[in-house]
Amino acid sequence: MSNVQWTHRRRLEACLVTVLLCAAFTLSAAGPPTDQQKATLKETLHLLPRSEPWEKWLQASGTMPPDFDALPAKPFLPDPLRFVSGQEAKREDWPRRRAELLALFQFYVTGSWPPSPGNTRVADLQQREQAESLVQEIVLEFGPNHAARLHLELIVPKAPGPFPVFLTQDTHRGWALVAVSRGYVACVYAGADSRDDTEAWKAIWPAHDWTKLTRRAWAASRCIDYLHTLPFVRTNQIALTGHSRNGKTSIIAAAFDHRVNAIISSSSGAGGACSYRLFSETQFGEGIENITRAFPDWLHPRLRFFAGRENKLPIDQPELLACIAPRPCLISSALNDNVESIWAIEQTYYSARRVYELFDHARDLNLRYRPGGHETRAEDIEAYFDWLDSVFGRQPFTLPDCSIYPTYADWLRLSEEKIDPTNFPTNGLGELLTNSESNVIKTTEAWLPKRQKIRERLLWALGEAPPFAESQPGSSGAEASPLSSLLGRATVPDGLARRSFNFGNHLTGDLYFPTNTDKAGSKMPVVVWLHPISVSHGYCAGYKRRENPHLALARAGCAVFAFDQIGNGTRLEEVRNFYLRYPHWSLLGKNVEDTLAAVEALRKTEFIDPKRIWLLGYSTGAMTALHAAALDDRIAGVVSVAGFTPMRLDTLDKGAGGVARWSVWMPLLPKLGAFVGQESRLPYDYPEVLGMIAPRPALVFAPKRDDQATLKDVEQGVEEARKVYELFVAKDALSLEELDDYNHFSPETQKRVIEKLKQVGGF
C-alpha cells in the first residue's frame, strides 16, 4: 500500500472513528454529574490507593465515572467479532468493527490517535560507513509548521537490496544489530525511556489527549512514512517490535497503522498481550490499579475507573490484538515473568485468533515462550528473526505449539465424559437441612447421613483421584536457589526463618516462622497459605503493595506453610498434560490432594501443633481451602477471602461468570461445565461445603465490590450454612465479614484477616 493510499484510507477511518468518539464523549458528558456518579467517584477514591496525578486529572477535566449500572457485565473476554449493538461481524463487516474498537480504545485506554500529518520530511541526515554496513543518523520533521522532530537511526547492510525492515525503539538497539546480521535494515527511533522525542509533541497537538505510549506508537508511524520513500526498503516487509512497555507501544502502533506488516510483542504484559480481566490484582498481576498509579502517563486516566470493575470494561486487550489481523503477529512471553501471565496470554491469544480465523490466517498469530523472567537472551532475538524470515517468505520456520493450559474442550475430548444434568435432581439453597425423605434435620446425628451424601457428590465433582501413598517430609528436591531468586523468595526477612521440605507426590513447600520459635520446645500453630491464580510467581505475589501474605502471616506469630499450586510458579508446566494423564480427575481435586498432603507433612513436623493446622486461601486458593477442610476433619479451621459465591445462585445473568468461570473458562472443576444454565441441578454448593466444616471455625471475608461474586448471595449462602452450625451449638464459629474493599488481597485486607485469625485461632 502506497503512502497516498494509506493516507486516504486513514482519513476515511479517522472520519468514522471521530464520529464514534464524538458519540462516546457525548454519552459520557450528557448533563451534569448525577448523584450516582458522585457516589461512585467518592467510593472509588476511597477504595483505590492514592494517585495524585489521577486526582489532578479528575479535578482539571471534571471527568466523572461511567454509569456502571448501565454498562453490561462481561466476566469473560469480550468477543472481538461482536459489535456493541450485539451484531456479529462477518468478513465484510470487519473494517467497521475494527473502527468501532479503535474508537473505544482511544476513549478508554490509549487516548486519541491523530491523523497522519502528511508532511513528514528529512530535516537532517548524517551518514557514516562501517565495514559491513551504512549508518544514517536522521532527523524527521512534520506536523504544524514542521514543528515536531523525531530522531532515528538507519543501519543498512552493505549488500544488494531491497531489504526488509526491523523497526524498534531506542532501548533495543542491540536487537537492531542482530537485524543487520540477518539481512534487515534496522530502524531505531527515539520513542523509548532511553531517548524520547515525543514528550514535546503534547504542546504541538494540544487538542489530543494521547498518552505516552500512544505518542511513541504514533512515532513509529512517522518512521514508516519515511521508510516508504526509500528505494532499498521492501515496504511490504516492515516489522515492528518492542519489549515490555515498548511491546505495548508496538501493539498500539500495529493496531492503528496497516503499514506495519508484522509485529513481535515481547513480554508486553498488562496493557499489552495480557487481558485486564485475566491479569488483575485478583490474579496477583500488575492490573489496572497498579499500572495507572505507577505509570500514570502510559495509558488514559479514564482506565483507572475500572480497577476492581474489570468485568465492566467495554473492551479488552485481545480486541486490540485483533485489530492487527490478518497481519502476522508473534506474542512472546517468559514463563516466570511477573509482568504477565502465561494463562492470560493464552486466553488473549484464543480470543484474538477468532478474527485471524475469519480471514483464514490463523497460522499468522503465534505464541512463543522462553524460560526465566523478564530478561531476553541472544537466542530469543535470533528466534524472533527466524519467525520474521518465515512470515516474510525468506526461509521456512515453524514454531511448535507451546500452549500450556488445558481448555474445557481438551477435557471433553480426553475424558469423553458425557454428563446429562437432567439426571440430577433440582436443589434449592434452603434445602440444606432437609434429608432424602424431605424431613427437616434437627439433630447432629440426623445431619451425618446428609453430610455423607454431600461428601459423595463433592468427591464426584472433584473427579477420580489416582491412588495416593503417604510419605515422610524430606529435603530431597528442595527448590534451587536460582529458581527461588527468580520467584522472589530467595531471602527471608529479618525476624523470620524458613525450612524447605518436600511432601506428597514430590512437591516442595516452605515453612516460615518467627526466628528461633522452632527451638522453643513448644508446639506452635500453623497456617497453610493457599494463593490465587498466580502464574508467574506461585505463592509469592508478582505484584503487591507491602509484604507478601505468607510473610505478614508469619509475623503474626504463627508458622506459615506455602507451596505453589499446580499451574503456577515452579509448577507452571505441570498443568500442560494433567488431563491427558488424569482425564477423570480435576485440577481442583489435585490442589485439594496436595493441600491435604501438606497437612499430613505438617503433622509430622516436630514443632507444629497437629491440632492447630489452619487453611487460609484467597480467591481460587480459598476454593481449595474450603474443599480440603470439608474433606478432612484434622484441619482446625479455615479462612476464605473472596473465595466463593453460591453456585446455584450465580447464574450467568448475574454477570460474575457463574459456574462457567471455574469449569469452562478455567477447567478447575470441568464436570460442572455441564450444569451451566441448569445451576439448580448442581450436585453440591458452597453452603453445603461450609456445613461439612461445622462445627470447626470458618471465617469468611467478602469484599463489597467484587466482579466475581454477588455479596448478597454470599450472605445468603453463609446464613444457610449457619443452620448446620446451630445444630452443633456453634453458631458463632461461622462468621462473615464484609470488607470495605474491592476484590484484591490488599495490605488493609490482610491486616483485618490476620487480626480476626489471631482472635479466633488463639495465635
Side-chain angles (χ1 to χ4, degrees):
M1 183 184 294
S2 69
N3 259 355
V4 173
Q5 290 173 315
W6 181 79
T7 301
H8 179 65
R9 181 172 182 171
R10 281 294 299 138
R11 283 173 179 164
L12 290 175
E13 288 184 350
C15 289
L16 179 55
V17 169
T18 299
V19 170
L20 292 168
L21 276 173
C22 287
F25 278 112
T26 301
L27 183 65
S28 67
T34 64
D35 290 342
Q36 181 61 48
Q37 284 180 310
K38 292 176 183 177
T40 300
L41 180 59
K42 182 179 179 181
E43 180 193 60
T44 301
L45 290 169
H46 167 65
L47 293 182
L48 299 187
R50 181 83 187 274
S51 172
E52 188 175 344
W54 191 59
E55 291 174 19
K56 287 182 177 178
W57 172 80
L58 288 171
Q59 186 173 9
S61 67
T63 303
M64 297 297 290
D67 181 354
F68 286 108
D69 291 337
L71 289 174
K74 298 177 181 178
F76 310 122
L77 294 182
D79 184 351
L81 288 176
R82 197 161 296 280
F83 284 93
V84 172
S85 66
Q87 173 194 349
E88 185 171 357
K90 307 300 181 185
R91 185 181 292 196
E92 61 271 18
D93 301 320
W94 177 244
R96 284 194 300 115
R97 173 58 176 157
R98 181 176 178 274
E100 181 179 68
L101 286 172
L102 292 178
L104 289 167
F105 271 100
Q106 289 179 75
F107 185 71
Y108 289 108
V109 181
T110 67
S112 55
W113 178 275
S116 171
N119 63 347
T120 303
R121 69 187 185 190
V122 175
D124 186 49
L125 190 155
Q126 303 294 324
Q127 183 169 292
R128 65 181 187 276
E129 291 198 18
Q130 296 180 338
E132 302 292 338
S133 62
L134 180 69
V135 180
Q136 296 181 340
E137 300 284 349
I138 299 163
V139 180
L140 299 179
E141 59 181 20
F142 42 83
N145 301 315
H146 288 94
R149 295 168 68 85
L150 177 66
H151 290 78
L152 59 92
E153 179 184 19
L154 279 187
I155 309 175
V156 185
K158 285 187 176 178
F163 307 99
V165 176
F166 182 77
L167 174 60
T168 192
Q169 303 80 22
D170 181 78
T171 309
H172 309 309
R173 191 177 186 277
W175 296 17
L177 302 183
V178 180
V180 177
S181 299
R182 296 291 293 263
Y184 287 70
V185 169
C187 181
V188 181
Y189 71 96
D193 288 358
S194 54
R195 189 180 189 188
D196 189 6
D197 288 345
T198 71
E199 191 69 22
W201 300 354
K202 290 188 291 186
I204 301 173
W205 283 275
H208 288 280
D209 62 348
W210 50 354
T211 59
K212 176 176 284 188
L213 298 187
T214 302
R215 289 195 306 274
R216 292 175 176 180
W218 198 76
S221 283
R222 306 291 68 77
C223 293
I224 296 174
D225 290 348
Y226 176 63
L227 290 168
H228 271 249
T229 69
L230 302 177
F232 55 84
V233 162
R234 292 188 183 275
T235 56
N236 64 340
Q237 293 183 355
I238 297 176
L240 174 63
T241 189
H243 182 76
S244 193
R245 65 197 64 183
N246 299 325
K248 306 182 209 298
T249 294
S250 298
I251 290 175
I252 295 170
F256 280 92
D257 193 335
H258 288 278
R259 299 172 303 168
V260 176
N261 305 116
I263 173 186
I264 301 172
S265 163
S266 180
S267 290
S268 55
C274 274
S275 156
Y276 294 114
R277 283 167 170 80
L278 308 188
F279 193 54
S280 68
E281 295 164 89
T282 311
Q283 294 90 22
F284 275 2
E286 189 170 11
I288 290 175
E289 190 288 310
N290 184 83
I291 200 171
T292 57
R293 173 171 47 85
F295 307 105
D297 55 353
W298 279 11
L299 302 169
H300 200 284
R302 189 175 282 108
L303 181 63
R304 188 167 174 80
F305 285 127
F306 293 88
R309 300 182 189 269
E310 288 81 6
N311 66 328
K312 292 286 189 173
L313 194 59
I315 37 79
D316 210 333
Q317 290 306 108
E319 294 166 302
L320 192 62
L321 282 167
C323 289
I324 299 170
R327 293 163 288 155
C329 174
L330 176 63
I331 305 170
S332 172
S333 305
L335 297 179
N336 297 110
D337 188 341
N338 70 338
V339 309
E340 56 193 353
S341 156
I342 296 300
W343 173 64
I345 291 287
E346 290 184 5
Q347 301 308 309
T348 299
Y349 162 77
Y350 294 137
S351 178
R353 193 172 64 179
R354 292 204 64 214
V355 181
Y356 279 83
E357 290 170 343
L358 182 72
F359 289 95
D360 299 320
H361 276 263
R363 66 187 180 278
D364 285 324
L365 180 63
N366 300 120
L367 294 175
R368 181 184 184 273
Y369 295 156
R370 63 185 190 278
H374 199 53
E375 70 286 346
T376 55
R377 309 158 299 163
E379 169 58 21
D380 298 317
I381 312 309
E382 293 282 6
Y384 292 169
F385 285 100
D386 292 340
W387 178 80
L388 283 175
D389 283 350
S390 166
V391 300
F392 286 160
R394 304 180 84 212
Q395 65 179 25
F397 176 76
T398 302
L399 277 171
D401 178 16
C402 63
S403 57
I404 289 177
Y405 284 87
T407 65
Y408 183 63
D410 293 332
W411 176 79
L412 286 172
R413 174 176 53 83
L414 293 167
S415 71
E416 298 183 337
E417 293 204 25
K418 293 177 173 58
I419 301 168
D420 183 355
T422 62
N423 292 332
F424 293 74
T426 58
N427 297 277
L429 201 65
E431 299 174 12
L432 182 56
L433 288 186
T434 303
N435 64 20
S436 57
E437 288 78 34
S438 300
N439 297 320
V440 177
I441 296 171
K442 297 181 179 180
T443 66
T444 54
E445 291 77 11
W447 161 249
L448 294 180
K450 176 69 176 278
R451 185 181 191 272
Q452 180 59 29
K453 290 291 184 182
I454 297 170
R455 179 186 179 89
E456 291 169 2
R457 296 197 295 265
L458 188 153
L459 288 171
W460 175 86
L462 291 177
E464 299 173 17
F468 180 79
E470 293 184 2
S471 63
Q472 295 290 330
S475 58
S476 174
E479 191 170 282
S481 296
L483 190 55
S484 293
S485 296
L486 176 64
L487 301 183
R489 52 207 197 205
T491 59
V492 181
D494 291 343
L496 298 179
R498 178 180 63 194
R499 284 192 193 182
S500 298
F501 57 83
N502 60 39
F503 65 99
N505 285 356
H506 198 56
L507 305 178
T508 300
D510 297 316
L511 184 61
Y512 295 84
F513 47 90
T515 304
N516 294 325
T517 52
D518 59 329
K519 302 179 180 67
S522 58
K523 294 185 179 290
M524 63 188 307
V526 64
V527 175
V528 180
W529 159 238
L530 296 166
H531 63 77
I533 297 171
S534 178
V535 171
S536 67
H537 277 50
Y539 74 76
C540 283
Y543 273 83
K544 65 184 185 306
R545 285 191 293 128
R546 302 178 202 162
E547 207 162 40
N548 261 296
H550 63 283
L551 300 177
L553 277 164
R555 291 197 189 282
C558 63
V560 179
F561 188 68
F563 67 95
D564 294 342
Q565 296 170 52
I566 187 170
N568 298 271
T570 57
R571 301 176 63 194
L572 196 157
E573 293 177 280
E574 186 183 333
V575 79
R576 174 183 275 134
N577 294 315
F578 179 81
Y579 284 122
L580 179 64
R581 295 163 179 159
Y582 308 108
H584 302 293
W585 203 10
S586 70
L587 288 168
L588 185 60
K590 172 61 172 167
N591 283 336
V592 169
E593 179 183 273
D594 293 346
T595 300
L596 296 182
V599 169
E600 182 62 32
L602 290 167
R603 287 172 59 84
K604 298 173 181 177
T605 304
E606 73 278 5
F607 66 96
I608 295 300
D609 184 347
K611 295 182 179 180
R612 290 195 289 169
I613 299 177
W614 282 69
L615 306 182
L616 188 158
Y618 166 60
S619 189
T620 52
M623 293 169 60
T624 298
L626 290 166
H627 284 76
L631 293 172
D632 194 328
D633 293 338
R634 298 173 303 174
I635 293 165
V638 63
V639 182
S640 165
V641 183
F644 72 92
T645 191
M647 296 184 288
R648 290 171 183 148
L649 299 180
D650 194 18
T651 51
L652 288 176
D653 61 293
K654 295 285 182 70
V659 70
R661 177 180 287 278
W662 307 123
S663 59
V664 178
W665 179 58
M666 171 172 264
L668 289 176
L669 274 175
K671 282 188 175 181
L672 300 191
F675 297 86
V676 175
Q678 299 196 55
E679 289 79 6
S680 65
R681 294 184 181 273
L682 280 160
Y684 79 100
D685 206 347
Y686 280 99
E688 295 166 309
V689 175
L690 287 168
M692 290 178 67
I693 298 170
R696 292 165 290 154
L699 314 180
V700 178
F701 294 85
K704 69 178 182 181
R705 183 199 290 180
D706 189 351
D707 63 356
Q708 296 183 14
T710 304
L711 182 58
K712 289 184 178 179
D713 291 351
V714 176
E715 292 170 346
Q716 186 177 343
V718 170
E719 288 309 305
E720 179 68 11
R722 199 181 304 281
K723 296 174 183 177
V724 182
Y725 277 80
E726 289 172 343
L727 286 181
F728 287 91
V729 195
K731 178 180 178 180
D732 294 338
L734 174 61
S735 67
L736 170 63
E737 294 200 28
E738 178 184 320
L739 297 168
D740 186 21
D741 210 339
Y742 61 97
N743 188 344
H744 65 147
F745 205 29
S746 65
E748 296 78 16
T749 289
Q750 286 182 36
K751 181 180 178 182
R752 185 166 171 185
V753 169
I754 291 170
E755 287 174 350
K756 180 71 172 181
L757 180 58
K758 288 174 68 176
Q759 173 191 339
V760 175
F763 298 166

